[in-house]
């Protein structure tokens, strides 16, 4: 990297050397000086085109004006007619500015100064940034969230708060403290405002801190890593370190919901392939209330991880947090863009982003707690737990450019911008009723921060959610096992479904739709 400007420079010189003999012959004025003007030794002038007499030219006028004030004419400035660059020769001439002031052919003049310009590229001094492949993959092309161009445009999540609902947040860490939002935080396990994690027997209450680092780890502080939205604020709600009840969950989902814009939840029911569970009545009501009343009515964005029960054939449709229409359900792909062994499949998967894979593949580098055996930094964050916070960070970037996106806009933009990948594998990509590709493995595809932010900028809001509940329609047909589907036509619309449940029983089936297609 460091050698490339050098290379450009030598190439440039080479070119100049080859073309300069030609140049001096073709120039109109043989006396044309070829050395560039030194800093502070050049003046830009605008000449009065009206004072050019017949048979004369602006070029000649520029030449004579230059001579009168003791400068050399270096020719027209680009395509700007009447504008010339005049330079000082080897010996300093007298007061150039007043000579130009006095000259009747000069309408305007200005001595040139060096302008400071820096290239729009981001570099960080954080020691672990180079190994954060999910942000910029130099090894496997395209296998990253494509966020660096967003940062180069100064979009880093400023003004947005993401809350991590988890086992606590060590907000005293160098990578968290400057971005920590005490206003959005709470501790429901100890019932106090401070979500500091508690040391435990297995030294594993580091989970929330790791997720928070992925979202908003401070950049350029010579410490550990960089978050996806390193300009955003991050809060913590400690709720997973102790017995959890429906009412606690309900409080968590709406805690400080005018401060917190995005809720990142990397947890769910047991991933054993046998548990069908989800939010209970209060938790459900809180999710619904959050999208209606949170974020001043635009709705909180609830990002949930799709679950790590892949090896037990668990399916995220069994998980009521994932299959809720109020949540953004995020699955994982490994550094090759493939579904890792632990990732679950389901129809309610909205999109995927990067995380760990098999042993040879890299995991996610992020902040870590520094309690017990923690060092404040880890390269071992794994599972769909690591994918959901990356999505939450990307949503923060979207909300910075368009603070008034509704919770439904965010879901729509994800479906529009997620990119299909791994098309060859048995990814079972299909086209849904609205014409979008979707797969049970990858949802609508890979999240791409650049596409998300650009779509957010120009997005036209979708209408409010409308709900309609049909009367009970008895079909007396069994729902066939996947991949066979049952097709049923109602009100002129065709509905198709199949079951991935391994239950041999009747299902009470409720069809809900929030689409206006
Ligand atoms: C990634 O972002 C860059 C801008 O930084 C953009 O030019 C490029 O098209 C994006 N790539 C994809 C695959 O979207
Ligand atoms: C980047 O954004 C921040 C906050 O929005 C602002 O204070 C800063 O001036 C911006 N920098 C540039 C170079 O535009
Ligand atoms: Ca506490
Ligand atoms: Ca850092
Ligand atoms: Ca699960
Ligand atoms: Ca969902």
């Amino acid at each position: 990297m460091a050698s490339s400007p050098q290379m450009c420079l030598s190439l440039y010189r080479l070119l100049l050397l080859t073309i300069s003999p030609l140049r001096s012959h073709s120039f109109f004025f043989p006396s044309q000086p070829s050395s560039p003007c030194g800093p502070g030794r050049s003046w830009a002038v605008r000449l009065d085109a009206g004072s050019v007499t017949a048979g004369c030219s602006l070029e000649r006028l520029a030449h004579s004006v230059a001579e009168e004030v003791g400068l050399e004419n270096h020719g027209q400035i680009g395509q700007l007619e009447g504008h010339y660059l005049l330079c000082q020769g080897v010996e300093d001439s007298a007061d150039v500015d007043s000579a130009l002031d006095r000259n009747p052919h000069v309408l305007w003049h200005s001595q040139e100064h060096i302008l400071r310009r820096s290239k729009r590229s981001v570099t960080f001094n954080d020691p672990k940034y180079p190994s954060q492949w999910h942000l910029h993959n130099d090894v496997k092309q395209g296998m990253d969230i494509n966020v660096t161009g967003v940062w180069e445009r100064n979009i880093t999540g400023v003004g947005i708060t993401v809350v991590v609902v988890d086992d606590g947040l060590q907000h005293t860490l160098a990578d968290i403290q400057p971005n920590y939002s005490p206003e959005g935080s709470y501790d429901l396990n100890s019932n106090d405002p401070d979500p500091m994690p508690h040391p435990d027997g297995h030294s594993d209450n580091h989970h929330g801190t790791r997720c928070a680092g992925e979202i908003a780890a401070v950049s350029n502080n010579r410490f550990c890593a960089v978050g996806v939205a390193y300009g955003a604020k991050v809060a913590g709600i400690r709720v997973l370190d102790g017995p959890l009840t429906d009412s606690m969950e309900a409080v968590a989902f709406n805690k400080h919901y005018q401060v917190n814009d995005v809720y990142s939840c990397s947890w769910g029911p047991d991933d054993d392939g046998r548990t069908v569970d989800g939010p209970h009545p209060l938790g459900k009501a809180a999710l619904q209330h959050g999208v209606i009343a949170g974020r001043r009515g635009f709705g909180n964005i609830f990002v949930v991880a799709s679950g790590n029960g892949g090896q037990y054939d668990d399916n995220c449709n069994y998980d009521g947090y994932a299959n809720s229409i109020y949540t953004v359900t995020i699955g994982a792909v490994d550094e090759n863009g493939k579904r890792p062994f632990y990732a679950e499949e389901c129809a309610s998967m909205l999109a995927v982003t990067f995380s760990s894979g098999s042993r040879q593949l890299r995991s996610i580098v992020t902040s870590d707690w520094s309690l017990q055996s923690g060092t404040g930094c880890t390269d071992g964050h794994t599972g769909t737990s690591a994918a959901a916070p990356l999505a939450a960070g990307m949503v923060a970037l979207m909300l910075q450019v368009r603070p008034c996106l509704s919770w439904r806009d965010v879901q729509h933009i994800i479906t529009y911008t997620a990119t299909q990948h791994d098309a060859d594998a048995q990814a079972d990509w299909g086209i849904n009723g609205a014409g979008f590709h979707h797969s049970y493995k990858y949802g609508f595809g890979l999240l791409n921060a650049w596409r998300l932010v650009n779509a957010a900028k120009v997005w036209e809001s979708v209408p409010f959610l409308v709900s309609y509940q049909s009367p009970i329609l008895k079909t007396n047909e069994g729902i066939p096992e996947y991949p066979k589907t049952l097709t049923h036509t109602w009100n002129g619309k065709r509905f198709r479904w199949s079951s991935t449940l391994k239950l041999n029983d009747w299902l009470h089936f409720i069809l809900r739709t929030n689409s206006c297609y």
Side-chain angles (χ1 to χ4, degrees):
M1 280 297 274
S3 69
S4 70
Q6 210 89 48
M7 278 178 54
C8 285
L9 206 66
S10 46
L11 189 67
Y12 177 67
R13 284 208 190 106
L14 212 74
L15 277 175
L16 270 186
L17 282 178
T18 28
I19 62 169
S20 49
L22 265 174
R23 248 167 72 126
S24 57
H25 287 299
S26 62
F27 255 97
F28 185 72
F29 294 101
S31 65
Q32 189 71 27
S34 54
S35 65
C37 316
R41 303 175 73 86
S42 64
W43 280 260
V45 298
R46 181 151 66 87
L47 301 178
D48 183 6
S51 60
V52 175
T53 48
C56 195
S57 71
L58 269 169
E59 189 70 38
R60 272 178 200 281
L61 179 64
H63 202 63
S64 63
V65 167
E67 251 169 20
E68 284 164 33
V69 299
L71 299 176
E72 292 166 346
N73 175 22
H74 277 237
Q76 182 177 307
I77 300 172
Q79 301 299 314
L80 302 177
E81 202 183 82
H83 293 75
Y84 287 84
L85 188 67
L86 311 184
C87 293
Q88 219 158 30
V90 265
E91 73 279 4
D92 284 357
S93 14
D95 187 355
V96 175
D97 280 299
S98 38
L100 287 168
D101 273 343
R102 285 194 305 270
N103 194 298
H105 306 298
V106 176
L107 296 178
W108 169 91
H109 62 92
S110 168
Q111 187 175 8
E112 295 213 297
H113 299 285
I114 304 289
L115 304 177
R116 277 189 60 86
R117 292 291 181 271
S118 41
K119 288 184 197 167
R120 292 281 173 269
S121 74
V122 281
T123 52
F124 300 112
N125 60 27
D126 307 77
K128 287 292 181 181
Y129 177 70
S131 37
Q132 290 189 285
W133 59 270
H134 63 281
L135 301 174
H136 58 92
N137 201 333
D138 308 324
V139 179
K140 294 184 170 142
Q141 203 86 63
M143 291 295 118
D144 60 43
I145 64 168
N146 205 22
V147 72
T148 53
V150 176
W151 293 339
E152 281 167 20
R153 281 151 189 83
N154 201 25
I155 296 154
T156 59
V158 171
I160 307 302
T161 304
V162 183
V163 63
V164 175
V165 182
D166 212 296
D167 59 11
L169 169 58
Q170 191 188 350
H171 48 81
T172 51
L173 281 175
D175 257 2
I176 301 292
Q177 195 277 325
N179 284 342
Y180 176 60
S181 165
E183 300 81 12
S185 298
Y186 200 76
D187 179 348
L188 284 162
N189 290 124
S190 306
N191 219 11
D192 67 59
D194 182 356
M196 197 70 172
H198 291 198
D200 70 335
H202 310 287
S203 189
D204 65 359
N205 278 338
H206 52 218
H207 193 254
T209 305
R210 292 179 170 194
C211 294
E214 292 182 86
I215 296 163
V218 174
S219 67
N220 263 337
N221 61 347
R222 299 186 188 278
F223 187 84
C224 191
V226 171
V228 172
Y230 58 79
K233 292 273 174 226
V234 64
I237 291 176
R238 178 168 173 261
V239 70
L240 296 187
D241 192 15
L244 181 68
T245 61
D246 190 17
S247 66
M248 283 167 76
E249 222 172 84
V251 173
F253 283 148
N254 294 155
K255 197 71 190 172
H256 301 309
Y257 69 163
Q258 306 304 349
V259 174
N260 296 321
D261 300 294
V262 184
Y263 288 69
S264 185
C265 306
S266 289
W267 45 272
D270 285 343
D271 286 327
D272 53 12
R274 285 174 292 148
T275 306
V276 178
D277 199 6
H280 286 233
L282 301 175
K284 264 188 195 164
L287 284 175
Q288 185 175 39
H289 184 62
V291 302
I292 292 171
R295 217 159 56 86
R296 301 180 317 284
F298 295 108
N300 295 122
I301 315 301
F302 295 101
V303 180
V304 302
S306 62
N308 294 346
Q311 66 269 52
Y312 307 111
D313 275 338
D314 201 6
N315 180 295
C316 30
N317 282 345
Y318 308 172
D319 170 342
Y321 303 92
N323 74 35
S324 164
I325 59 171
Y326 304 123
T327 61
V328 171
T329 305
I330 298 297
V333 290
D334 63 23
E335 198 184 343
N336 291 326
K338 305 280 191 198
R339 184 184 75 92
F341 66 92
Y342 58 80
E344 300 181 23
E345 302 184 17
C346 64
S348 51
M349 182 92 72
L350 202 61
V352 289
T353 191
F354 296 99
S355 187
S356 58
S358 59
R359 201 157 290 207
Q360 318 82 273
L361 293 174
R362 293 187 279 182
S363 300
I364 300 296
V365 176
T366 179
S367 318
D368 194 5
W369 75 351
S370 62
L371 309 174
Q372 296 189 310
S373 54
T375 60
C377 198
T378 180
D379 56 9
H381 196 29
T382 57
T384 55
S385 275
L390 299 181
M394 288 187 250
V395 172
L397 300 174
M398 293 164 72
L399 294 182
Q400 181 190 345
V401 298
R402 280 294 291 284
C404 296
L405 292 177
S406 75
W407 65 281
R408 301 190 67 230
D409 290 330
V410 170
Q411 293 198 14
H412 277 251
I413 293 171
I414 289 171
T415 63
Y416 268 87
T417 60
T419 50
Q420 188 179 10
H421 70 294
D422 193 19
D424 49 314
Q426 318 91 342
D428 64 7
W429 288 101
I431 302 287
N432 76 1
F436 292 84
H437 48 256
H438 186 273
S439 123
Y440 286 1
K441 282 195 178 80
Y442 304 130
F444 289 95
L446 262 183
L447 291 175
N448 179 322
W450 174 257
R451 289 169 60 85
L452 285 166
V453 166
N454 283 294
K457 279 184 190 160
V458 298
W459 184 255
E460 255 182 64
S461 275
V462 294
F464 287 114
L465 173 72
V466 285
S467 296
Y468 176 77
Q469 196 161 342
S470 74
I472 291 172
L473 309 160
K474 288 203 170 131
T475 61
N476 283 325
E477 280 176 88
I479 295 179
E481 242 180 69
Y482 180 78
K484 286 192 197 138
T485 57
L486 172 70
T487 307
H488 188 71
T489 305
W490 171 67
N491 262 9
K493 298 253 186 292
R494 270 176 62 233
F495 294 96
R496 258 183 330 143
W497 57 86
S498 67
S499 172
T500 49
L501 284 176
K502 282 165 269 155
L503 299 172
N504 190 12
D505 208 342
W506 289 103
L507 280 181
H508 181 89
F509 189 87
I510 300 172
L511 174 69
R512 262 183 324 205
T513 173
N514 65 339
S515 117
C516 37
Y517 300 108

